[in-house]
Amino acid sequence: MPESEQESAPSGIDTSKPSVARVYDYMLGGKDNYEVDRQVAAAALKIAPDAPQAAMANREFLRRTVRYLAGEAGLRQFLDIGSGLPTQGNVHEVAQSVRPGAHVVYVDHDPIVLAHGRALLAVDETTTFVDADAREAEKVMDDPRTRALIDFSEPVGLLLFGILHHLRDEDDPKGVAARYIGRLAPGSHVVISHFHNPGPALPEVSEQAATAERLFNEHLGTGRWRTREEILAYFEGLELLEPGLVPLPEWRPETGDHQAAPGITYHTFVGGVARKP
């Protein structure tokens, strides 16, 4: 693309390389993405034409689970790891619609997320944004901005939406999750959504998941479609709430949900909620 036709971007944003957050933004119909991201998205859509439905299902899962945590579970503070680009129905908006004054700490380290997140997510004294890598649990939890809003002696909602599948096996995602969970008080809840490979039970879907994994690792750097057993291991020592680890649209669906049709991605994006006893 000639320099005169290149898309403008905030300072420090590299538009020559695709970004997971920006590809996800494109799938949700957002505008904070660039041609390189749309090219990757186009390749993904050839493999899984219903990928935008999967992205929407993840946002609906976020809304339902955060409403549950702020409402029935009575939580007043939330830690959102790998928050991604702001979009309709952000965590603080959902939580505060149920429990006014709820505190939310957003964490991410993608430059474009930082640029938009600080402006749109850290809106008042109840929210803040911490620029850190998800793997740096201690840094995140000990950051003064985090400690100003979250009292770890009280229950916390730990939100891990679509982040652990971007950690390689050698990053020890189970260990990363455990370091966060280990610092949480009893009564805290953990929400996880994760790419899933169903294996021999659904061979066609399993093959698609393997193809999608190759695409991610070629173009976006990281992406692991893990087995049900691997994902359940993140909840070790916790009480997994009903209906358990399920495709995202099946976690306590509500009237008005988009209700993603059971296409090929339906079984490759799963989630669950657990309580720390």
Side-chain angles (χ1 to χ4, degrees), residues 5-180:
E5 297 178 18
Q6 289 181 1
E7 297 171 286
S8 61
S11 177
I13 306 302
D14 185 354
T15 61
S16 68
K17 297 178 181 179
S19 153
V20 170
R22 299 194 313 250
V23 171
Y24 184 54
D25 174 74
Y26 174 79
M27 292 294 189
L28 285 170
K31 299 178 180 179
D32 296 315
N33 52 78
Y34 302 95
E35 179 60 28
V36 66
D37 307 304
R38 296 189 283 273
Q39 290 173 358
V40 171
L45 289 169
K46 289 180 182 178
I47 301 168
D50 60 339
Q53 289 181 310
M56 179 63 70
N58 192 47
R59 293 303 300 183
E60 291 180 345
F61 177 68
L62 179 153
R63 287 194 285 271
R64 294 195 304 274
T65 55
V66 171
R67 277 200 297 265
Y68 169 79
L69 297 187
E72 288 186 51
L75 300 188
R76 298 177 177 275
Q77 44 188 9
F78 297 84
L79 183 58
D80 185 7
I81 308 298
S83 57
L85 282 160
T87 187
Q88 187 176 7
N90 296 299
V91 171
H92 72 278
E93 296 167 334
V94 177
Q96 292 174 2
S97 71
V98 178
R99 190 165 295 279
H103 289 185
V104 179
V105 175
Y106 294 100
V107 180
D108 210 301
H109 72 149
D110 186 307
I112 196 165
V113 175
L114 299 179
H116 290 274
R118 288 196 182 102
L120 299 176
L121 298 179
V123 292
D124 58 30
E125 69 278 359
T126 66
T127 64
T128 193
F129 199 99
V130 175
D131 49 329
D133 190 302
R135 294 168 292 188
E136 302 174 306
E138 293 76 16
K139 176 182 176 181
V140 169
M141 300 178 89
D142 292 332
D143 189 286
R145 291 165 292 185
T146 302
R147 301 309 292 262
L149 288 185
I150 293 186
D151 177 359
F152 286 106
S153 69
E154 297 292 331
V156 175
L158 174 63
L159 311 178
L160 297 163
F161 294 107
I163 183 65
L164 294 175
H165 56 227
H166 291 304
L167 301 187
R168 297 181 175 89
D169 291 346
E170 53 267 32
D171 292 324
D172 185 20
K174 181 184 175 184
V176 170
R179 292 202 297 277
Y180 285 105

Side-chain angles (χ1 to χ4, degrees), residues 27 43-52 54 195-199 202-216 225 263-269:
M27 292 294 189
L45 289 169
K46 289 180 182 178
I47 301 168
D50 60 339
F195 290 158
H196 172 236
N197 188 323
L202 295 168
E204 182 182 353
V205 177
S206 179
E207 182 179 351
Q208 181 269 343
T211 302
E213 184 170 299
R214 286 195 295 272
L215 175 71
F216 256 71
W225 275 247
I264 200 160
T265 65
Y266 188 85
H267 295 283
T268 62
F269 210 171

